[in-house]
Amino acid sequence: MSLLTLIFLILFLATEANSQNLYSYYLLNQELKIISATKEKENLLKTPRYVRVITHDELERLGVKNLFELLDYLPEFYYWRSFFGLNAVGALGLRQSYFSEKIQVLINGVPISDPSNGSSFSVNSVFPLSNVKQVEIVYGPMTALYGYNTSLAVINLITYSSSDKGKIETSISTGHDSYNSIFIPFKNKTFSGSFSFSYVENRSPHKDYTDFLGLKGNYSSFKKNFDYFFTLSFPSGFYLKSYSVNRNEHFPVTISELVTNGNSYARRKSFINKLGYSFSLNNLKGDIYVGYNWFYLKRAYNLCPFNHKICSIYLPNELLAVEKRYLKEPRIGGFFSLSTNEFGKFSFGAEYTEVNLYKTRLNSNFLPSSVNVENPKSIVVFPNMRELSDKDKLISERKRYSFSPYIQYNFNFDDYYLLLNLRWNRTNDVGSDWSYTVSLMKKIEKSIFKLNFGRALRIPSFEEMYIKNNPILKGNQNLKLEKADSIMPSYQYIGDRVTVNLTAYYFRFRNFIYKRQVPGGSYQWDNSDSSVRSSGFITSLKTKIAQNLELRVSFGRIFSIEGLSGEYFDFPKKKLISGLNYWNKEITSGLYVVAYSKASSRAPGFYRVDYNFNLNLTRNSKVFLNVKNLLNRKYQFDDEIPGDERTLWVGFQLYY
């Protein structure tokens, strides 16, 4: 990789004198504003944290339709598919569970996560990008600014605003998938706002799939995903942000080592709201807000379908169960900042949150507490479905109270920048601890040196602490807070025709939460006795090789992962992305290669070629064509879960 970088640099620097009118990367970065690094709008080149910004133009050149496709093009992430057929992602050497609980997603600064499992991706398994104007990714420990479960990265999706044009987009694939969205801005003298709506269907059959028990069929996890984002602002300073997701998923042939096709599905609903008041008084700015979030889960299991050979041998009936959960989360908080000419900017805030799993229910035709993996005949089976008592539920009703005050200090002199964060985190059921970050930056002309280090905290989820009557996985009420100490030095050069980035990272986790095998063939959530460490680096090169031609090369390399074995570290040691983009006033075109090294013995390395083409029909309309896996390469994830087949997407976009 270092040799390729050297060759590209020599080539591009040698031709620089022949192309003085090219678009300047340096000027573009000077104009970019971000909000995710400090909770306030800042110039990207004055932000000491390591941040990656993907603009609307870049999203269109890549041809990505959802957040997971975007992360697939970034070398620090590992995008894969779980047993459930759900999108999953790991980052910076840690694969995590399919919940990806160490990465948190925000939409316009509003946290999008299910407090019962600590995950943003269980709220929305798609995150369509058709109405997203900019994606900001802040790397490293961010608990000190955003609270629990921001150990590896924070991803903030910035949607279009009331000052943008309206937009309609629709697309369909040869796999019978579809994306549909509409964005409606509105503005008058009294108020302004926007309404963003998306509806997604995923079918994508994978033919001739055979699971580990020999059952054959199409691996297709049919998903319907509806979401909207609504904003309303008043000149007085009052505002409302409302986000809702409605998911409906039917699972494929095999979704775990026991749970298989039949009557297995999941339906999730989330309703996330923030009502606030913002003000500005000379050098003092403030934001006071209240919120109310509501989450619903209905999940059906068919643990032993009649068409499985093993089930027909041991059990005369199918094992059916339907679980329901209702959760509400009120919160109140504030964030204030004071700017001074001599001493920099001081910010402080506090947040109080209640998480109330106020109703749980389980209906089944068997007693889950009677399930014994080693002795299937011990299962107590009823002739009909019935509602079970509290002692036989999978999770009981629970409450969690959380309070966290925090401070931030931002200071710069000449070309030196300093950013400090400190937060105290307190809960009633896990205890309290401190998190912090220190970010330093030095600019030398067009070179930028950064150093970020700090501590993040992850709180055990309700599922990890309180799951019971599960023959495969048990909760642990004695779990401790997971602590992640990290350091990330980086160097970036931003020229007119070329940008180069090199970032190294080192993470050390204490009380790492993992699944420990226990007697009886099952697992229990536990804290690791030893520290868990991961380290690696990320490098990228972007350059203009002609007036309208751009070459990109990105590479990620993991040096070491230590402390535990198993699924948490089934992560590709190397990842390479290269792409060639061409654009003019009418056409945008891109050809990309994504290559992963082996993730585990069950997930060999592979490469995939994608193609993207956009044609502007008029000033406000265009058609686009995307081909995923252009060469139709066969690849798989763990447990022979198939990767994407060659898929052609055709779509239309209209601004009004």
Side-chain angles (χ1 to χ4, degrees), residues 10 128 217 220 238 310 320 324 335 369 425 455:
I10 293 173
S220 178
F238 285 99
I310 292 180
L320 306 176
K324 293 182 181 180
F335 181 74
S369 57
N425 309 270
R455 168 174 292 179

Side-chain angles (χ1 to χ4, degrees), residues 37-55:
T38 61
K39 286 192 175 181
E40 293 186 283
K41 188 172 288 187
E42 301 280 353
N43 189 293
L44 176 62
L45 295 185
K46 296 182 180 180
T47 303
R49 288 202 169 101
Y50 177 47
V51 183
R52 188 188 290 272
V53 179
I54 301 94
T55 63

Side-chain angles (χ1 to χ4, degrees), residues 15-132:
T15 59
E16 184 171 5
N18 296 324
S19 183
Q20 299 296 326
N21 298 319
L22 295 179
Y23 191 78
S24 170
Y25 292 127
Y26 184 74
L27 293 178
L28 173 64
N29 280 269
Q30 274 193 323
E31 297 171 357
L32 277 177
K33 304 288 185 180
I34 64 169
I35 194 172
S36 309
T38 61
K39 286 192 175 181
E40 293 186 283
K41 188 172 288 187
E42 301 280 353
N43 189 293
L44 176 62
L45 295 185
K46 296 182 180 180
T47 303
R49 288 202 169 101
Y50 177 47
V51 183
R52 188 188 290 272
V53 179
I54 301 94
T55 63
H56 169 72
D57 289 342
E58 290 182 285
L59 292 174
E60 291 204 335
R61 289 171 195 168
L62 291 169
V64 292
K65 294 174 291 301
N66 60 62
L67 177 60
F68 295 92
E69 290 184 358
L70 171 62
L71 300 181
D72 194 28
Y73 284 120
L74 304 181
E76 57 271 29
F77 291 95
Y78 175 34
Y79 165 58
W80 54 288
R81 184 174 291 112
S82 72
F83 265 126
F84 298 86
L86 298 175
N87 296 324
V89 63
L92 302 173
L94 291 174
R95 198 184 82 167
Q96 316 170 91
S97 71
Y98 79 91
F99 283 140
S100 306
E101 63 283 334
K102 293 180 177 64
I103 305 168
Q104 290 301 296
V105 179
L106 317 174
I107 297 185
N108 292 336
V110 179
I112 307 299
S113 61
D114 183 344
S116 67
N117 54 39
S119 170
S120 302
F121 301 104
S122 69
V123 172
N124 194 331
S125 62
V126 179
F127 283 113
L129 297 177
S130 54
N131 294 329
V132 171

Side-chain angles (χ1 to χ4, degrees), residues 535-547:
S535 61
F537 75 89
I538 313 155
T539 184
S540 62
L541 169 72
K542 183 170 65 174
T543 184
K544 286 287 196 63
I545 58 179
Q547 177 67 33

Side-chain angles (χ1 to χ4, degrees), residues 18 45 60 95 138 151 196 198 264 281 301 317 343 351 377 456 469 475 479 484 536 575 578 590:
N18 296 324
L45 295 185
E60 291 204 335
R95 198 184 82 167
V138 187
S151 304
S196 177
S198 297
S264 298
L281 183 63
Y301 309 90
N317 300 306
F343 304 106
E351 187 169 77
K377 293 185 177 180
N469 294 328
L479 286 176
K575 182 180 178 182
S578 61

